[in-house]
């Protein structure tokens, strides 16, 4: 097992990619703190599945856009598990629409959760990780942050912002043996993409050299790698998990 | 709290934070030049002082705190204010 004795916080950990990450880290021996915004039933289900794998798991309801709530959550995780070794900034929302029709509230909501949330969580854990002299932060970006995507100006801006944030913080914290990397998934089959029109899904499939969408587990495997000591010499990188969509 | 007591508290924080020997933490010791601190250590030290003495150290003040004496002087001034 790659993560025995480590504690991981996974934001947006109840569903989709976050659930797959929570379960894979649990399978590798980590204690898992599943942070979720609203769906308690899904969070509890993920927790039970993690416990069935033999891991210690707990759920924490927390809006990552709320700095104080994040600070309280990180403190609670530390109290329960004793350390915070891994942070997976996965929480994300979409409010898609063409720019001309995009309301400021939709712009702001996506930036608040997807980018400011990453800032809040990373800042809160960095204080602990600096004392521990070790840690790994993995931020979920997106190929959309690299290529742009019509109808997702807000989401693409946030996901591109995550890449710059990742590199800046990787430089700041490297001297304390804290690694900060990003994973950029392509088209992943989750609740978030389930609502897309069939034509959009077909267009995306045609742009994927490997010829299929990613599963949440495909993405989780990359997160596991970056979280583990197997990636101990890797920091400030963006790992695309996109079937070759962006090269 | 006397200035001496403030110094002792500052010293214990510096020893813990920087992992240096107590004897090295003299009043005129400079964090970066004498005690081997880097910019992240300074941020952590400032945060530890703020917590221990229950004060706010604004960024423009923090930039000017170079030595143990700078720290003790600022804390003493804040206590009297």
């Amino acid at each position: 097992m790659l993560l025995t004795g480590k504690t991981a916080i996974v934001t947006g950990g109840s569903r989709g990619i976050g659930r797959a990450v929570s379960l894979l880290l649990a399978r590798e021996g980590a204690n898992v703190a599943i942070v979720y915004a609203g769906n308690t039933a899904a969070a509890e289900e993920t927790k039970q599945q993690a416990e069935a794998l033999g891991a210690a798991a707990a759920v924490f309801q927390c809006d990552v856009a709320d700095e104080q709530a994040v600070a309280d959550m990180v403190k609670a995780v530390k109290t329960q598990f004793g350390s915070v070794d891994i942070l997976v900034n996965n929480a994300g929302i979409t409010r898609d629409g063409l720019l001309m029709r995009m309301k400021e509230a939709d712009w702001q909501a996506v930036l608040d959760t997807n980018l400011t949330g990453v800032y809040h969580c990373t800042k809160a854990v960095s204080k602990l990780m600096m004392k521990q002299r070790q840690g790994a932060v993995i931020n979920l970006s997106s190929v959309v942050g690299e290529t742009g995507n019509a109808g997702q100006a807000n989401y693409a801006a946030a996901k591109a912002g995550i890449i710059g944030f990742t590199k800046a913080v990787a430089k700041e914290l490297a001297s304390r043996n804290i690694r900060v990397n990003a994973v950029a998934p392509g088209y992943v089959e989750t609740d978030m993409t389930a609502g897309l029109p069939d034509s959009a899904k077909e267009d995306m499939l045609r742009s994927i050299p490997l010829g299929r969408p990613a599963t949440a587990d495909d993405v989780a495997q990359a997160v596991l790698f970056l979280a583990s000591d197997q990636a101990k010499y890797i920091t400030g990188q963006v790992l695309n998990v996109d079937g070759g969509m962006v090269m | 709290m006397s200035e001496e007591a403030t110094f002792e508290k500052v010293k214990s924080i510096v020893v813990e934070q920087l992992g240096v020997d107590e004897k090295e933490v003299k009043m005129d010791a400079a964090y970066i030049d004498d005690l081997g601190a880097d910019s992240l250590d300074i941020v952590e030290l400032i945060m530890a002082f703020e917590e221990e003495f229950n004060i706010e150290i604004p960024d423009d003040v923090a930039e000017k705190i170079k030595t143990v004496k700078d720290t003790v002087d600022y804390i003493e001034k804040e206590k009297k204010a």
Side-chain angles (χ1 to χ4, degrees):
Chain A
M1 294 202 290
L2 292 170
L3 304 175
T4 305
K6 306 262 187 183
T7 295
I9 294 176
V10 183
T11 71
S14 61
R15 294 186 290 151
I17 293 172
R19 172 180 283 185
V21 169
S22 295
L23 296 179
L24 185 60
L25 300 189
R27 191 182 304 261
E28 291 297 328
N31 308 317
V32 185
I34 299 155
V35 178
Y36 69 103
N39 192 335
T40 306
E44 285 294 340
E45 196 178 303
T46 307
K47 174 178 179 256
Q48 282 162 15
Q49 291 175 7
E51 286 172 340
L53 295 164
V59 300
F60 297 87
Q61 186 166 21
C62 172
D63 176 3
V64 294
D66 179 342
E67 182 163 30
Q68 188 58 49
V70 168
D72 293 344
M73 175 273 290
V74 169
K75 197 180 276 182
V77 173
K78 168 87 162 66
T79 302
Q80 180 152 356
F81 294 116
S83 69
V84 178
D85 308 286
I86 298 158
L87 168 66
V88 182
N89 280 310
N90 166 75
I93 59 170
T94 53
R95 296 282 188 277
D96 295 352
L98 294 172
L99 177 65
M100 283 187 295
R101 302 276 296 166
M102 187 177 284
K103 292 187 176 65
E104 181 153 344
D106 292 333
W107 167 265
Q108 201 61 50
V110 169
L111 268 288
D112 285 350
T113 296
N114 297 16
L115 186 57
T116 308
V118 173
Y119 152 71
H120 289 153
C121 294
T122 309
K123 186 175 168 185
V125 303
S126 69
K127 292 171 191 170
L128 300 176
M129 289 179 174
M130 282 192 37
K131 284 208 164 62
Q132 295 169 181
R133 292 291 192 267
Q134 59 97 16
V137 178
I138 298 97
N139 300 322
L140 269 291
S141 179
S142 165
V143 291
V144 164
E146 300 173 308
T147 64
N149 191 27
Q152 291 197 301
N154 48 4
Y155 190 78
K159 293 300 185 181
I162 285 174
I163 293 174
F165 177 87
T166 298
K167 295 178 180 183
V169 179
K171 287 182 175 172
E172 284 188 24
L173 300 178
S175 68
R176 297 302 189 273
N177 194 30
I178 300 166
R179 298 179 297 101
V180 188
N181 291 288
V183 169
Y187 170 32
V188 189
E189 281 185 323
T190 64
D191 292 350
M192 190 185 268
T193 53
L196 291 172
D198 285 342
S199 61
K201 289 183 190 172
E202 282 161 23
D203 283 349
M204 272 195 289
L205 277 177
R206 270 196 296 276
S207 70
I208 302 173
L210 285 180
R212 65 166 179 88
T215 64
D217 187 63
D218 291 327
V219 180
Q221 294 289 348
V223 173
L224 168 64
F225 169 66
L226 291 169
S228 77
D229 281 346
Q230 292 189 312
K232 65 179 183 289
Y233 198 57
I234 299 175
T235 195
Q237 302 303 307
V238 183
L239 179 51
N240 280 46
V241 183
D242 62 2
M245 247 173 138
V246 179
M247 299 187 191
Chain B
M1 200 186 337
S2 68
E3 188 176 318
E4 181 60 25
T6 301
F7 170 64
E8 287 302 323
K9 268 199 170 174
V10 167
K11 182 156 80 175
S12 74
I13 290 169
V14 172
V15 165
E16 190 195 322
Q17 195 67 53
L18 301 181
V20 291
D21 194 292
E22 210 174 298
K23 287 190 285 274
E24 292 179 68
V25 189
K26 302 189 182 98
M27 261 307 220
D28 62 351
Y31 294 120
I32 291 174
D33 293 336
D34 298 323
L35 301 175
D38 66 14
S39 59
L40 285 179
D41 289 319
I42 300 290
V43 173
E44 287 193 280
L45 276 173
I46 296 290
M47 284 165 51
F49 296 142
E50 287 180 328
E51 197 173 325
E52 177 65 36
F53 295 100
N54 202 19
I55 53 171
E56 282 264 334
I57 304 177
D59 286 348
D60 56 330
V61 174
E63 276 170 34
K64 292 189 190 107
I65 294 182
K66 309 279 188 208
T67 65
V68 175
K69 183 174 189 309
D70 294 342
T71 315
V72 174
D73 286 351
Y74 182 75
I75 294 164
E76 288 295 306
K77 195 177 81 172
E78 283 300 289
K79 280 196 308 195
K80 287 177 192 124

